[in-house]
């Protein structure tokens, strides 16, 4: 994250950085104010970061591919591409050039609502910068075409050669303390630890040896697919540790119905969450302050978590609970301390082979760290990409699955706000933050509010094809006419009652950032 | 360039201040308004030193080194000056250390002790600032009568946070740290101003009266909220986290935190925490022992595996939990249950 000091331009798209990653945003603000770094912000909302931006592209929700393709189109037409990089380090550029030869900047303007002068300006600024960093978060990925959004950004980066050195690159900011680590450690359906595919025979044999058990060759279900399978009564039992899909899933009325069908649900958590209420067994677990272990941050930095207090009552550390269940089930686990688990983890994934607890002081270690003497790795893709050459993949704009219409004329987009976190399990049970922002709200533009005769603070009804909530109106110029925004932390007015279950076909990520809603006075 | 500080020859860097060069050489110069991450201010004057060839004392925090400079950081004259400066500050500072939350970690208290400042008989007559304490928000108590106008809070708010919620208004005796129009504090509540305040002017509402610094254990760990991975120090008393501060060690956050990392910690001791295993019987949760809960869970999982096969079972792991916990969770689902149906909320 400190690379931000060494760049000439920052392009933030689909990330409300100052609210969702406030401390990462400090670096961006500092670079702009003190280093003269240029900042482009692309977001349908006029987020706080726009105050610091040289250029704000307020594109309509879910039109990211059209915006990025528009920018890339200008870069190609004006010959601002990095030919040397394209020739030496990439393949497939012609496919993108061909696709974009059929695309015009006027089309980009029509789809995104961003004036073409701004698109041209963004293209010249980005391509003209010696080094440029792109930051994105769920505003890019949580779409039915989320994979397309990321690929279009990758095309932009490859065409201009802005990757693989300090001060340049494409950086997703991870939303949760250890979402990076959970992926690394294999808590994803298609990979063993270290992104080793489960349907590869060699990998399977390796893990069968390491774990001394026969393993399934079938790729598993993702979280969203498990909910669908529970609804279809194909998933009969679930073990849920520290997750609350009944608030965080899209279309939670459907999630509730699906989870209610599960024959046996065990939930391991620190509070009686909405999901725990449906459980057959609840196991009291521990929070971050009550255990030893490691978290891996958004820049792949493995850092040491240290136990400060004992869990309350009979609650136990999560690793001890999993071990108890596993041993009773007949899958033997004998760890006396999390450091021993890390040692096994290091054996299982080459990226972390050199990491052990005794090395994790201060700033921790950024993987890949292949051996005990290795200091860790700051920048990936320096000489080569993981697959060898960087591959261009032409991406066409596909409209979101659900567009506003006569009955549901508004586009709803969801996200986080500064004071609260995710499903509110922690921040809404902390006195200060809970008291500071007590309830949810829907941001609506002054134009729309005026037209519908809605006053700031008035309780209004927001409905989609999936459900309805009553929520306080917040009249603000943050959003443009036709767009409304609801933070998803508040169970009493849960944004995810409204959102849609449409999935990106590849990443299986739901389209949480765009659906159609209507607004009525109560 | 070479400078001599307290008879020690030091190689100093161009542009470095006397204070920075001395600090690098392991010499201690007292200061109330200097902070390594903020601009140089020269407000408190406590860092005064003698420089050869100059008649008056100079502030080491704002004076750049020059080649051949000869500096003395401690002498009777310097000590007397610092003592006077401290007494002037203390002449307009409430003498209520016994109930102040900052006691034990107050820079003014430490220096008053070190320099033997006369606190009992205030040698300086005159009016004292009388301000009501402002604590209309949920996080920060602002007691302006204790403010020494070091401007660390206003500088951190502007230079580090780029928020600018506060600045110093008016002049001289009437100078005061204020929000626009001197209203109540309404900002991002990152708490960085509290972290840098050297005295008891800015303190934490949630930690008030919970414990003195010498009573608390301190544990360095990593924040449990977003993916930035800020280093934090948990302050512990009686198995309770009573305060969170940014770690002073090397960290990705360089001394900064946000409202969640800084202030949203008391969920840890919330009365609603689950403390015993629960088993649902006739639609109601009944407390159970660990053995009962584990036996029942394993029995049901085995039955379902037997009846419907491994792929009828799924596990949701957690981005909230540690790497080690995620690793053994997926290991249990894969090697124990026998399915790859294991995932977590990376997608939403």
């Amino acid at each position: 994250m400190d690379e931000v000091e060494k760049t000439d331009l920052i392009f933030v798209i689909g990330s409300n950085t100052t609210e969702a990653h406030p401390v990462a945003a400090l670096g961006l603000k500092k670079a702009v104010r003190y280093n003269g770094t240029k900042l482009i912000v692309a977001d349908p909302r006029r987020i706080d970061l726009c105050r610091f931006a040289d250029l704000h592209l307020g594109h309509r929700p879910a039109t990211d591919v059209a915006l990025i393709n528009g920018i890339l189109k200008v870069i190609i037409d004006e010959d601002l591409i990095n030919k040397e990089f394209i020739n030496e380090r990439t393949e497939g550029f012609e496919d993108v050039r061909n696709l974009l030869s059929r695309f015009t900047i006027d089309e980009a303007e029509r789809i995104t609502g961003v004036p073409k002068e701004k698109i041209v300006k963004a293209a010249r600024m980005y391509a003209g910068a010696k080094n440029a960093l792109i930051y994105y978060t769920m505003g890019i990925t949580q779409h039915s075409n989320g994979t397309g959004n990321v690929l279009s950004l990758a095309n932009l980066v490859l065409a201009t050669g802005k990757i693989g050195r300090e001060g340049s690159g494409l950086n997703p900011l991870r939303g949760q303390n250890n979402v990076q680590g959970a992926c690394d450690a294999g808590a994803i359906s298609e990979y063993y630890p270290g992104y080793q595919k489960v349907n590869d025979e060699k990998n399977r044999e390796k893990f069968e040896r390491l774990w001394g058990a026969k393993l399934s060759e079938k790729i598993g279900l993702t979280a969203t697919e498990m909910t669908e399978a529970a609804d279809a009564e194909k998933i009969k039992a679930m073990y849920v540790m520290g997750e609350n899909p009944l608030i965080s899933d899209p279309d939670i009325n459907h999630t509730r119905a699906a989870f209610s069908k599960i024959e046996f649900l065990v939930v391991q958590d620190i509070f009686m969450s909405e999901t725990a209420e449906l459980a057959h067994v609840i196991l009291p677990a521990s929070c971050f302050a009550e255990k030893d272990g490691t978290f891996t941050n958004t820049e792949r930095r493995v850092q040491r978590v240290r136990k400060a207090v004992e869990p309350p009552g009979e609650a136990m550390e999560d690793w001890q609970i999993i071990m108890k269940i596993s041993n009773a089930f007949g899958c033997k686990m004998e760890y006396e301390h999390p450091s021993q688990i890390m040692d096994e983890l290091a054996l299982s994934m080459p990226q972390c082979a050199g990491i052990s607890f005794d090395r994790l002081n201060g700033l921790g270690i950024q993987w890949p760290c292949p051996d005990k003497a290795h200091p860790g790795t700051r920048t990936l893709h320096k000489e080569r990409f993981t697959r060898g050459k960087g591959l261009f993949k032409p991406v066409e704009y596909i409209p979101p699955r659900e567009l506003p219409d006569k009955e549901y004329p508004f586009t709803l987009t969801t996200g986080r706000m500064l004071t609260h976190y995710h499903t509110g399990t922690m921040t809404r049970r902390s006195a200060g933050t809970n008291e500071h922002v007590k309830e949810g709200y829907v941001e609506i533009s002054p134009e729309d509010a005026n037209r519908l005769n809605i006053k700031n603070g008035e309780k209004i009804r927001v409905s989609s094809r999936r459900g309805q909530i009553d929520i306080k109106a917040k009249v603000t110029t943050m959003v443009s006419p036709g767009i409304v925004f609801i933070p998803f932390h508040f169970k009493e007015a849960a944004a995810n009652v409204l959102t849609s279950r449409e999935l990106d076909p590849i990443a299986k990520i739901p389209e949480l950032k765009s659906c159609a809603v209507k607004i009525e006075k109560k | 360039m070479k400078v001599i500080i307290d008879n020690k020859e030091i190689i100093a860097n161009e542009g470095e201040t006397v204070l920075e060069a001395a600090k690098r050489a392991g010499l201690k110069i007292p200061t109330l308004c200097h902070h390594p991450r903020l601009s140089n201010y020269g407000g408190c004057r406590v860092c005064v030193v003698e420089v050869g060839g100059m008649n008056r004392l100079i502030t080491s925090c704002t004076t750049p080194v020059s080649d051949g400079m000869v500096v003395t950081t401690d002498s009777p004259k310097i000590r007397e000056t610092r003592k006077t400066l401290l007494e002037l500050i203390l002449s307009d500072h409430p003498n209520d250390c016994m109930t102040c939350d900052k006691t034990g970690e107050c820079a003014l208290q430490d220096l008053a002790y070190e320099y033997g400042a006369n606190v009992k008989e205030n040698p300086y007559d005159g009016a004292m600032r009388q301000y009501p304490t402002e604590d209309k928000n949920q996080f920060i108590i602002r007691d302006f009568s204790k403010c020494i106008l070091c401007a660390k809070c206003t500088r951190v708010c502007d230079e580090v946070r780029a928020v600018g919620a506060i600045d110093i208004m008016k002049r001289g005796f009437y100078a005061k740290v204020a929000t626009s129009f001197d209203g109540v504090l309404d900002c991002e509540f990152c708490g960085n101003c509290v972290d840098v305040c050297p005295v008891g002017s800015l303190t934490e509402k949630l930690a008030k009266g919970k414990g003195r610094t010498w009573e608390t254990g301190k544990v360095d760990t990593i924040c449990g909220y977003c993916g930035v991975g800020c280093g934090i120090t948990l302050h512990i008393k009686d198995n309770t986290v009573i305060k969170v501060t940014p770690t002073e060690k090397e960290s990705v956050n360089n001394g900064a935190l946000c409202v969640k990392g800084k202030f949203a910690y008391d969920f840890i001791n919330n009365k609603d925490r689950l403390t015993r295993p629960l088993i649902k019987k006739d639609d109601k949760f009944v407390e159970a022992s660990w053995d009962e809960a584990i036996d029942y869970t394993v029995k049901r999982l085995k039955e379902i595996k037997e009846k419907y096969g491994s792929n009828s079972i799924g596990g949701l792991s957690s981005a909230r939990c540690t790497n080690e916990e995620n690793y053994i969770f997926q290991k249990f689902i894969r090697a124990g249950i026998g399915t790859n149906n294991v995932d977590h909320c990376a997608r939403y």
Side-chain angles (χ1 to χ4, degrees):
Chain A
M1 283 177 290
D2 54 357
E3 277 192 35
V4 79
E5 291 166 15
K6 299 185 179 97
T7 195
D8 306 296
L9 180 137
I10 303 162
F11 181 16
V12 176
I13 180 162
S15 159
N16 183 7
T17 327
T18 59
E19 297 205 60
H21 299 87
V23 175
L26 298 180
L28 309 190
K29 295 196 270 192
K30 194 172 163 193
V32 171
R33 286 182 81 199
Y34 299 109
N35 297 354
T37 308
K38 299 283 176 219
L39 174 65
I40 304 173
V41 173
D43 200 291
R45 296 165 72 217
R46 261 174 296 279
I47 52 173
D48 180 54
L49 207 54
C50 295
R51 291 197 288 130
F52 302 88
D54 297 90
L55 183 63
H56 173 219
L57 311 171
H59 60 308
R60 295 190 184 104
T63 62
D64 305 81
V65 168
L67 181 68
I68 304 302
N69 278 353
I71 292 174
L72 190 51
K73 168 82 178 168
V74 175
I75 289 175
I76 293 173
D77 285 358
E78 297 193 358
D79 202 24
L80 303 171
I81 53 173
N82 184 337
K83 288 182 195 103
E84 202 186 315
F85 188 89
I86 291 173
N87 289 336
E88 283 171 18
R89 304 250 346 239
T90 72
E91 55 197 24
F93 177 63
E94 284 312 311
D95 299 341
V96 172
R97 189 202 287 269
N98 285 340
L99 175 86
L100 290 184
S101 67
R102 300 192 297 273
F103 187 66
T104 67
I105 182 126
D106 292 290
E107 257 179 288
E109 175 180 294
R110 186 179 52 75
I111 298 167
T112 62
V114 177
K116 58 184 169 195
E117 301 72 40
K118 282 192 170 183
I119 298 176
V120 172
K121 193 177 171 195
R124 289 177 186 160
M125 279 172 74
Y126 181 77
K130 194 159 163 275
N131 278 305
L133 285 169
I134 297 180
Y135 288 96
Y136 68 90
T137 62
M138 293 302 195
I140 279 294
T141 52
Q142 283 177 343
H143 293 283
S144 56
N145 192 26
T147 307
N149 287 345
V150 176
L151 289 174
S152 67
L153 285 173
N155 290 340
L156 179 65
V157 165
L158 291 176
T160 52
K162 293 202 197 321
I163 192 163
R165 58 176 182 270
E166 228 171 29
S168 275
L170 180 57
N171 307 286
L173 289 169
R174 308 298 312 242
Q176 303 182 44
N177 58 331
N178 200 33
V179 68
Q180 181 68 48
C183 292
D184 299 346
I188 13 180
S189 52
E190 59 180 311
Y191 295 115
Y192 295 122
Y195 307 95
Q196 304 175 70
K197 285 221 173 225
V198 294
N199 55 348
D200 177 301
E201 213 179 295
K202 272 203 192 110
N203 294 339
R204 196 163 58 248
E205 280 169 9
K206 172 182 163 180
F207 279 92
E208 283 182 343
R209 267 198 311 277
L210 182 68
W211 294 339
K214 186 99 191 79
L215 300 176
S216 165
E217 52 208 57
K218 198 173 155 228
I219 289 182
L221 301 174
T222 65
T224 33
E225 288 172 331
M226 279 189 242
T227 306
E228 298 295 336
D231 191 40
E233 297 182 40
K234 287 192 176 123
I235 282 284
K236 299 286 186 183
M238 272 189 84
Y239 179 4
V240 178
M241 167 173 81
E243 297 259 302
N244 192 10
L246 259 80
I247 297 289
S248 61
D249 249 16
D251 191 2
I252 49 183
N253 286 335
H254 167 261
T255 308
R256 175 172 291 277
F259 269 69
S260 303
K261 291 181 187 172
I262 296 174
E263 267 185 39
F264 183 67
L265 175 65
V266 51
V267 171
Q268 180 172 316
D269 212 315
I270 61 172
F271 288 111
M272 180 66 82
S273 68
E274 289 68 24
T275 309
E277 281 168 16
L278 294 182
H280 301 91
V281 174
I282 300 177
L283 306 171
S286 53
C287 75
F288 78 105
E290 294 155 354
K291 57 177 110 170
D292 280 304
T294 55
F295 289 156
T296 305
N297 84 348
T298 185
E299 44 179 14
R300 310 178 316 280
R301 189 183 295 282
V302 182
Q303 303 195 97
R304 184 77 159 78
V305 176
R306 294 183 185 83
K307 181 169 178 163
V309 288
E310 291 296 331
E314 292 176 23
M316 276 205 295
E317 295 173 42
D318 292 76
W319 65 276
Q320 291 171 327
I321 305 174
I322 304 162
M323 248 177 68
K324 263 182 184 288
I325 289 183
S326 189
N327 283 328
F329 199 86
C331 172
K332 283 287 162 243
M333 289 189 187
E334 285 160 344
Y335 309 105
E336 277 161 28
H337 189 265
S339 62
Q340 297 169 339
I341 306 176
M342 175 51 86
D343 295 341
E344 188 179 313
L345 181 61
L347 280 180
S348 78
M349 60 181 281
Q351 297 95 322
C352 291
I355 298 179
S356 57
F357 272 32
D358 56 328
R359 290 191 68 191
L360 296 176
N361 288 311
L363 277 172
I365 297 173
Q366 280 177 285
W367 69 254
C369 173
D371 59 69
K372 283 276 179 201
H374 196 282
T377 311
R378 271 168 70 96
T379 311
L380 295 178
H381 316 307
K382 260 190 184 154
E383 270 90 43
R384 61 188 296 278
F385 293 100
T386 316
R387 68 181 289 278
K389 287 203 167 186
L391 182 64
F392 281 96
K393 282 234 169 146
V395 192
E396 259 181 296
Y397 167 70
I398 307 167
R401 303 280 168 78
E402 192 179 64
L403 282 165
D405 55 20
K406 247 189 166 155
E407 202 187 347
Y408 296 96
F410 286 90
T411 300
L412 165 71
T413 186
T414 64
R416 285 191 186 158
M417 50 99 56
L418 176 66
T419 314
H420 287 289
Y421 182 74
H422 229 62
T423 70
T425 320
M426 303 190 291
T427 50
R428 296 202 67 209
R429 284 190 181 85
S430 292
T433 40
N434 187 42
E435 203 41 43
H436 185 51
V437 180
K438 291 189 191 83
E439 57 178 328
Y441 52 84
V442 51
E443 289 180 358
I444 181 168
S445 72
E447 292 89 342
D448 287 329
N450 216 10
R451 194 165 47 77
L452 298 168
N453 192 25
I454 289 167
K455 289 189 185 53
N456 192 33
E458 181 180 336
K459 265 256 161 96
I460 57 174
R461 177 158 294 172
V462 185
S463 353
S464 75
R465 289 184 176 85
R466 293 153 295 274
Q468 61 179 46
I469 57 172
D470 292 339
I471 188 166
K472 216 166 79 174
K474 185 171 178 179
V475 181
T476 168
T477 53
M478 275 279 272
V479 287
S480 302
I483 300 169
V484 293
F485 167 83
I486 304 179
F488 68 98
H489 316 294
F490 302 89
K491 61 179 176 187
E492 304 83 355
N496 283 326
V497 166
L498 308 168
T499 51
S500 121
R501 286 186 276 140
E502 295 288 352
L503 296 185
D504 176 280
I506 299 161
K508 316 280 175 157
I509 198 165
E511 186 152 68
L512 289 164
K513 293 293 185 234
S514 159
C515 74
V517 296
K518 67 177 167 191
I519 284 173
E520 296 156 295
K521 278 178 83 79
K522 275 200 65 195
Chain B
M1 66 181 77
K2 278 181 192 160
V3 292
I4 295 166
I5 306 181
D6 292 348
N7 300 320
K8 219 170 144 180
E9 198 177 278
I10 292 164
I11 306 294
N13 304 322
E14 186 78 41
E16 204 171 30
T17 64
V18 173
L19 181 74
E20 284 160 349
K23 198 176 163 191
R24 259 195 322 107
L27 297 164
K28 198 178 152 238
I29 299 175
T31 166
L32 289 168
C33 73
H34 181 75
H35 194 287
R37 277 191 274 271
L38 302 176
S39 60
N40 297 327
Y41 190 60
C44 75
R45 323 302 287 177
V46 175
C47 69
V48 286
V49 293
E50 286 172 328
V51 173
M54 293 176 88
N55 287 332
R56 58 184 182 85
L57 300 178
I58 57 119
T59 47
S60 60
C61 74
T62 54
T63 307
V65 287
S66 59
D67 199 29
M69 198 181 224
V70 180
V71 180
T72 308
T73 71
D74 202 358
S75 70
K77 184 182 170 190
I78 291 171
R79 288 193 74 82
E80 195 49 38
T81 307
R82 287 181 184 156
K83 182 171 175 246
T84 305
L85 285 163
L86 291 165
E87 284 172 345
L88 280 164
I89 294 172
L90 288 161
S91 74
D92 189 10
H93 190 91
N95 193 354
D96 69 347
C97 300
M98 55 289 281
T99 54
C100 181
D101 265 281
K102 202 76 182 196
T103 285
E105 50 188 341
C106 171
L108 181 61
Q109 189 185 45
D110 292 347
L111 289 179
Y113 180 77
E114 187 181 336
Y115 286 85
N118 190 348
V119 185
K120 215 168 162 186
E121 303 143 29
N122 185 351
Y124 301 99
D125 285 341
M128 285 178 80
R129 294 166 300 166
Q130 304 284 341
Y131 292 115
T133 296
E134 197 271 299
D135 64 348
K136 294 286 190 301
N137 67 81
Q138 281 75 29
F139 309 104
I140 299 169
I141 303 171
R142 304 159 74 210
D143 184 345
F144 308 102
S145 63
K146 289 182 183 169
C147 177
I148 61 166
L149 297 167
C150 70
K152 277 186 185 173
C153 56
T154 59
R155 279 178 290 154
V156 81
C157 191
D158 175 36
E159 295 169 14
V160 174
R161 312 302 303 208
V163 170
I166 45 172
D167 205 343
I168 294 179
M169 67 166 199
K170 298 191 180 171
R171 295 272 186 225
F173 179 74
Y174 302 100
K176 181 193 175 198
V177 173
T179 62
S180 51
F181 307 106
D182 200 16
V184 297
L185 188 64
D186 183 15
C187 62
E188 292 184 359
F189 294 106
C190 69
N192 244 190
C193 54
V194 185
D195 294 325
V196 297
C197 181
V199 296
S201 185
L202 298 172
T203 52
E204 298 185 23
K205 209 171 195 176
L206 297 162
K208 187 175 167 58
K210 297 269 170 70
R212 303 289 208 187
T213 181
W214 61 82
E215 299 174 305
T216 57
K218 284 148 190 97
V219 177
D220 281 323
T221 188
I222 301 298
C223 177
Y225 285 106
C226 80
V228 171
C230 293
I232 55 174
T233 302
L234 303 178
H235 299 245
I236 316 298
K237 192 185 165 193
D238 302 333
N239 200 41
T240 305
V241 177
I242 61 160
K243 189 160 84 172
V244 175
T245 52
T247 178
E248 283 170 13
K249 302 200 178 113
E250 203 184 6
S251 63
V252 297
N253 44 311
N254 291 314
L257 289 178
C258 75
V259 59
K260 295 178 282 266
K262 173 85 185 149
F263 293 118
Y265 57 84
D266 50 326
F267 74 88
I268 299 170
N269 293 99
N270 188 289
K271 59 174 176 34
D272 295 339
R273 279 291 298 269
L274 296 167
T275 56
R276 291 203 67 182
L278 302 170
I279 296 177
K280 202 177 256 170
K281 285 176 186 156
D282 303 325
D283 246 15
K284 276 206 186 94
F285 284 113
V286 185
E287 290 193 347
S289 71
W290 270 107
D291 284 346
E292 284 173 282
I294 298 283
D295 288 350
Y296 179 61
T297 300
V298 168
K299 184 177 141 260
R300 292 291 287 131
L301 288 176
K302 277 187 169 165
E303 281 168 7
I304 287 167
K305 182 180 170 177
E306 188 75 11
K307 197 166 160 195
Y308 305 105
S310 297
N311 288 327
S312 69
I313 301 176
L316 278 188
S317 197
S318 177
R320 226 27 42 74
C321 288
T322 63
N323 289 326
E324 294 72 20
E325 289 162 344
N326 275 286
Y327 176 81
I328 62 168
F329 187 89
Q330 60 89 35
K331 181 179 171 180
F332 167 62
I333 299 290
R334 291 196 159 112
I337 303 282
T339 175
N340 287 312
N341 291 342
V342 58
D343 209 45
H344 73 288
C345 67
R347 293 168 181 85
Y348 46 87

